[in-house]
Structure formats: C-alpha cells, structure tokens
Amino acid sequence: MSEVQTARTYNQNHVPRAYTPGRRRVSIYVAWSYPAEAGRNPAELDNRFSTMTEVRRVAWPAYEDPKWSDPLQFQQGIAGSLELFFLAWVPFQQLVEETTGHAVPVYQRIDQAGFRAPLDERVLADTDTLFVFGLDHMITGQEAGPGEVEALRAFLAREDARLVLGPHHDVGASDDLSVREVEYRHHGDPLVPRQQRFARYVRGLMQGLGVPVENRYGLRPAVQAPNRIAPFSAIRDADTKGWLDGVTNFNFHQHLPHYAVTGDEPDAIRVLARQPVDTARPHPFIEAGNTEFNMFLWMPPSGERAGDVLLADSTIFSSLFGGDESLRNFWRNLVTK
C-alpha cells in the first residue's frame, strides 16, 4: 500500500463522492460519543477504555518512543488510546481507496468537538457499503433512534447496498463476580476490565432492522503460533456470494464476541465462519459444550431488503492486531463483491 502523500485534515464537512459504476463508496460510522468515552473517570474500574499510560505499561516497550510517550506530542489519557483506533484503521482505509478509487470517510456519532452525526441521509447518500463499528460502551447510553433505523431500512432497499455491523464484545454481563473473574482469566488481557459491555447502539439497530443476532462474551480464539489466530471453520457451501474467497483466517484478538443467532427462521441468516476457541482456558461458553464461536455472518437480501447485511467484529479491520494476505483478501471481498 502506498504511503499517505497529503496532509491530515479535520474539522470540515465531508465532500460527497460521485457514483462510479463498479466502484463502491465505503464509509465507516463509529457509534460512540468521543467525549463520553474520553471523559470517563480513570478511577472507575469497569466499562471504559484504557488510558494511554495504561497501554504503555502493559505493552511496554512498544509505545515508549516519544511520539507515543511524550505528553507534549501524544495524549496520555483515555483520549490517547482512542486515537490509536483511528491510526489503526488507516491501512484498511488505504486498501479500500486503492481498490475503489474513493476515499473512506470516518464518521463519529459525536466527535471530539461535540458535533453530532446521526445515521441519516447525510452519511448514507454517497455510501454504497457502510461499516458500523459498535465500540460504544453501553454505559454511555448511545441509542439508535427510530429515524436512524428507518434511514438504514431505506438504504438497504437500494440495489447492491451493503451494511457491515460490528458490535464489539460483551464481557462481564453476569452479576456474579466469580463468573466475571473466570471470563477475565479466559481472555487474559490486562487492559480489559472485569466488565466491559459494548454496542448498545448497534444492538438497537439490529433490533429495529430485525437482525436476529446478539453479541455475547469476549472469547479468546485458538492460535496456531504465538499471536497468530488459528484458521476458522468456513461454511463455504452457504457462501454463495464469495465473501470468503481466498480467506482462511482473520487476525488475532484476545477477546472476540460470539455472534449468537437468536431467531428461528431457517436461512434468514447464515453463519459463514466459526472460530475455534481456546478451550485450555475455562469459560462458561466452553463449559456449555462449545468449541467454536460465530465469527462472520451474512443476511442475504430478502423481501423489500435488496442489500446485504453482514456481521464482523471491528477488530478485523484494525492493524492494531496484525494482518496478512488472507485478511486483506477479506477486506477486498467486502468492497468488491
């Protein structure tokens, strides 16, 4: 991928992209309130992102270069760790732009300056493929309004529209503190607290759109080498669109959500990839007899919905957690198929 040759911009309105046949216009919508996340009290143990100082301590010495550690160059509070997300999405944005010829805007539900961007026609008008990253802590109260659900329903009525939902993990949902401790020991990430519940906003969208899925747990995937995720189990007969062509694995992340299918309607939603879980680490999901969790799902067009709905965790699109040609093939497939 080519290096960025232009200066970074911020605090300006998006310039609409013209429709180009065969070249999808991709947008990312981060369903958080940046001020609500950055303003969480670091003295609170649960339901917040790490401060940059905590990241540096746990990942030492990875972030000891002054560009990360100098408080005059990089924010050391929670805001600093939020900026890591934006930096880590850049390779995905670059690959998509090189593939489609269109830049990839990143919208935030409420941005650093407090500007609100509800999911409406201003976001959707020049978008063919929309990624909605459910990285909002449930405690911040991000609710999907009826107008936003209707806007997405209208979007999905368009021919070839594509919606990729990424509700993040739901760690520590149980009120039993001993269960929370088992979950914590299972994923083993010291930066994730005993309770970290995400994606209130995307859950609301899924309920409104009739997507029969719920994000559960934060499961540690099995590995085939240190920090290299084991290949998933693909259900390729159901993948009639070819989303997983040339794809055998995603990237390693210590705590991935299980996308539990909650509906009974046959073939309404297809599980296309199941990820082996690390069964050496106890967890209620494993104790229930499970060895794999649902990693990638697809709702093909149906009825008045002409567009596709897909589910894949936002970490799959982040360079923070590594990547290889298999992962890049997946990125290309989502924006070209």
Side-chain angles (χ1 to χ4, degrees):
M1 291 178 286
S2 61
E3 293 295 325
V4 177
Q5 298 297 320
T6 57
R8 291 176 61 86
T9 63
Y10 175 63
N11 207 31
Q12 64 182 23
N13 290 335
H14 171 63
V15 177
R17 297 159 293 183
Y19 173 73
T20 308
R23 293 185 176 273
R24 304 187 72 85
R25 296 163 296 178
V26 176
S27 301
I28 295 172
Y29 186 83
V30 187
W32 65 23
S33 163
Y34 188 103
E37 301 293 351
R40 291 281 289 142
N41 182 359
E44 296 286 340
L45 295 181
D46 293 330
N47 294 305
R48 67 170 176 85
F49 288 109
S50 307
T51 66
M52 190 62 196
T53 302
E54 290 167 329
V55 170
R56 286 174 50 212
R57 179 182 295 118
V58 168
W60 192 91
Y63 291 98
E64 290 311 291
D65 188 283
K67 68 180 182 179
W68 309 115
S69 62
D70 183 351
L72 298 182
Q73 297 187 54
F74 201 82
Q75 299 180 85
Q76 296 301 297
I78 292 174
S81 66
L82 297 185
E83 293 304 323
L84 295 180
F85 284 92
F86 293 108
L87 293 170
W89 289 323
V90 168
F92 173 64
Q93 292 173 265
Q94 288 178 328
L95 181 141
V96 172
E97 183 172 359
E98 291 171 4
T99 302
T100 67
H102 292 295
V104 180
V106 177
Y107 300 97
Q108 298 177 75
R109 187 162 179 74
I110 305 178
D111 72 8
Q112 288 89 332
F115 287 99
R116 296 174 178 268
L119 199 48
D120 58 21
E121 192 62 15
R122 291 171 296 175
V123 174
L124 299 172
D126 76 329
T127 297
D128 304 306
T129 299
L130 176 68
F131 289 80
V132 182
F133 292 162
L135 289 165
D136 56 306
H137 282 89
M138 293 178 72
I139 198 171
T140 67
Q142 304 306 306
E143 299 281 0
E148 293 175 290
V149 173
E150 288 306 312
L152 269 184
R153 187 173 285 116
F155 169 74
L156 288 169
R158 289 163 37 187
E159 195 71 34
D160 289 333
R162 189 164 303 156
L163 174 63
V164 185
L165 300 172
H168 201 29
H169 65 239
D170 188 22
V171 168
S174 173
D175 291 331
D176 188 330
L177 299 188
S178 64
V179 173
R180 293 189 194 179
E181 180 66 6
V182 169
E183 291 189 34
Y184 177 80
R185 297 296 173 186
H186 170 78
H187 65 68
D189 186 350
L191 288 174
V192 170
R194 266 63 172 183
Q195 185 180 77
Q196 191 174 43
R197 307 194 65 190
F198 282 108
R200 185 184 190 118
Y201 181 81
V202 175
R203 285 186 177 209
L205 290 182
M206 291 192 294
Q207 182 178 3
L209 293 171
V211 179
V213 173
E214 185 176 278
N215 56 314
R216 296 178 182 168
Y217 302 123
L219 298 166
R220 188 182 184 96
V223 297
Q224 62 180 8
N227 293 329
R228 180 167 177 77
I229 196 168
F232 51 65
S233 299
I235 300 86
R236 298 194 183 274
D237 289 346
D239 184 16
T240 53
K241 195 73 173 278
W243 305 114
L244 295 177
D245 287 354
V247 186
T248 57
N249 58 270
F250 298 128
N251 49 354
F252 176 74
H253 186 60
Q254 288 173 287
H255 26 84
L256 293 167
H258 166 54
Y259 288 148
V261 178
T262 58
D264 298 322
E265 185 179 346
D267 208 38
I269 189 161
R270 305 180 188 181
V271 179
L272 299 186
R274 294 189 176 97
Q275 184 63 47
V277 65
D278 185 347
T279 56
R281 298 166 178 253
H283 190 282
F285 183 78
I286 298 169
E287 293 169 4
N290 299 292
T291 59
E292 298 179 322
F293 59 92
N294 297 343
M295 185 80 156
F296 176 54
L297 290 74
W298 174 36
M299 286 184 70
S302 177
E304 296 180 356
R305 179 172 51 79
D308 299 291
V309 177
L310 301 150
L311 287 104
D313 188 57
S314 58
T315 55
I316 294 174
F317 308 98
S318 171
S319 63
L320 278 175
F321 310 107
D324 56 14
E325 193 57 30
S326 172
L327 186 68
R328 289 185 284 273
N329 286 341
F330 181 64
W331 294 353
R332 291 188 191 95
N333 291 345
L334 289 187
V335 301
T336 58
K337 293 289 185 180

